[in-house]
């Protein structure tokens, strides 16, 4: 356990040494809440749930589809994981350490969004249990997709390319770039079955006082299991 903690701390230090990563996952969500909070007057209209949903979903997408697969595929490409086989530390501990750091950053980001939103004038999530469930399932589903990208990408550059493609497709179809209210119905239906779209809508529903739809929760749980198992089966250490 001590070795696992040291690896996780090391991964955290590497994350904190990348200003762009910190700014994208923690600074940008805060900026989104502050900027939109200054532009609009948060109220009871469901459209206002778009802004906290945007901040949370965007940060989760950056963590899971960009940072996580690129780092892990880069470790494999550079032979770091292969060299760990010659030590008592199994390469899986690096994988677990990276996941622990990503989960910790995601939790901090969610707290920042909720607290900053409240200070600016946004209401707190009116369905806290639903919000917690939507956040946890959304993070797990997106991380499982990121792990599958890391599993199949032969190089760090390829992982970045695949992750960016998934990122922009997910942002467009998931009601993140544009609110669902402004999207045609067929795109909303596609978004319901995408991890980012389901996360975005589940977060918005819980913020507005409604328990997340079972469809979205079921989609997120299914993606977590299917993609997680696929990533575990296909992941190569070297």
């Amino acid at each position: 356990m001590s070795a696992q903690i040291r690896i996780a701390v090391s991964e955290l230090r590497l994350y904190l040494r990348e200003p762009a990563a910190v700014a994208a996952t923690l600074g940008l969500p805060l900026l989104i809440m502050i900027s939109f909070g200054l532009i609009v007057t948060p109220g009871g209209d469901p459209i206002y749930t778009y802004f906290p949903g945007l901040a949370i979903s965007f940060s989760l997408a950056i963590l899971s589809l960009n940072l996580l697969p690129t780092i892990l595929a880069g470790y494999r490409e550079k032979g770091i994981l292969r060299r760990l086989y010659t030590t008592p530390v199994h390469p899986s501990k690096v994988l677990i350490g990276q996941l622990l750091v990503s989960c910790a950053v995601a939790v901090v980001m969610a707290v920042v969004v909720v607290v900053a939103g409240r200070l600016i004038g946004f209401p707190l999530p009116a369905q806290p249990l639903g919000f917690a469930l939507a956040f946890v399932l959304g993070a797990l589903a997106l991380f499982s997709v990121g792990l599958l990208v890391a599993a199949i990408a032969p190089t760090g550059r390829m992982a970045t390319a695949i992750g960016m493609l998934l990122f922009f497709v997910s942002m467009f179809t998931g009601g993140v770039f544009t609110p669902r209210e402004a999207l045609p119905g067929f795109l909303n239906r596609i978004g319901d079955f995408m991890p980012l779209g389901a996360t975005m809508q589940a977060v918005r529903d819980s913020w507005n006082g409604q328990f997340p739809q079972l469809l979205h929760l079921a989609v997120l749980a299914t993606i977590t299991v299917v993609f997680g198992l696929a990533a575990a089966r296909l992941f190569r250490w070297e």
Side-chain angles (χ1 to χ4, degrees):
M1 181 61 70
S2 59
Q4 182 65 77
I5 293 176
R6 288 197 295 270
I7 290 175
V9 171
S10 177
E11 291 293 325
L12 178 61
R13 288 174 178 170
L14 292 174
Y15 163 77
L16 293 175
R17 289 176 184 174
E18 294 292 337
V22 177
T25 54
L26 295 179
L28 195 54
L30 178 60
L31 180 61
I32 290 173
M33 295 301 292
I34 293 176
S35 58
F36 282 113
L38 294 176
I39 294 173
V40 303
T41 302
D45 194 304
I47 189 61
Y48 293 114
T49 63
Y50 167 70
F51 305 116
L54 167 64
I56 290 175
S57 300
F58 185 88
S59 185
L60 284 177
I62 289 289
L63 274 170
S64 60
L65 301 179
N66 297 132
L67 294 180
L68 182 64
T70 299
I71 291 172
L72 292 177
Y75 283 171
R76 184 195 303 117
E77 180 184 9
K78 295 173 183 176
I80 295 175
L81 299 179
R82 183 179 65 249
R83 289 195 293 271
L84 282 176
Y85 267 118
T86 63
T87 72
V89 179
H90 193 272
S92 62
K93 293 188 180 296
V94 174
L95 176 61
I96 295 172
Q98 187 61 227
L99 282 172
L100 288 175
V101 171
S102 297
C103 290
V105 173
V107 171
V108 171
M109 173 273 298
V111 172
V112 167
V113 169
V114 171
V115 173
R118 186 69 189 95
L119 293 176
I120 293 168
F122 286 92
L124 293 172
Q127 177 57 257
L129 179 59
F131 172 75
L133 185 59
F135 174 77
V136 170
L137 283 179
L140 290 176
L142 286 163
F143 285 145
S144 67
V145 174
L147 287 176
L148 182 57
V149 174
I152 64 177
T155 65
R157 288 186 178 181
M158 183 62 71
T160 300
I162 297 174
M164 289 300 293
L165 175 62
L166 292 175
F167 174 81
F168 283 110
V169 170
S170 298
M171 295 284 283
F172 179 70
T173 60
V176 181
F177 276 150
T178 305
R180 286 174 62 98
E181 290 82 353
L183 290 176
F186 76 94
L187 278 182
N188 284 331
R189 178 51 55 184
I190 293 174
D192 285 335
F193 294 92
M194 299 286 284
L196 194 60
T199 300
M200 177 76 172
Q201 191 55 41
V203 168
R204 290 190 60 183
D205 286 342
S206 62
W207 212 291
N208 196 42
Q210 305 168 11
F211 197 81
Q213 299 178 40
L214 292 180
L215 170 64
H216 296 139
L217 297 181
V219 166
L220 293 175
T222 301
I223 290 174
T224 298
V225 173
V226 173
F227 281 72
L229 290 176
R233 185 174 183 83
L234 298 175
F235 200 91
R236 304 182 311 279
W237 301 111
E238 56 181 332

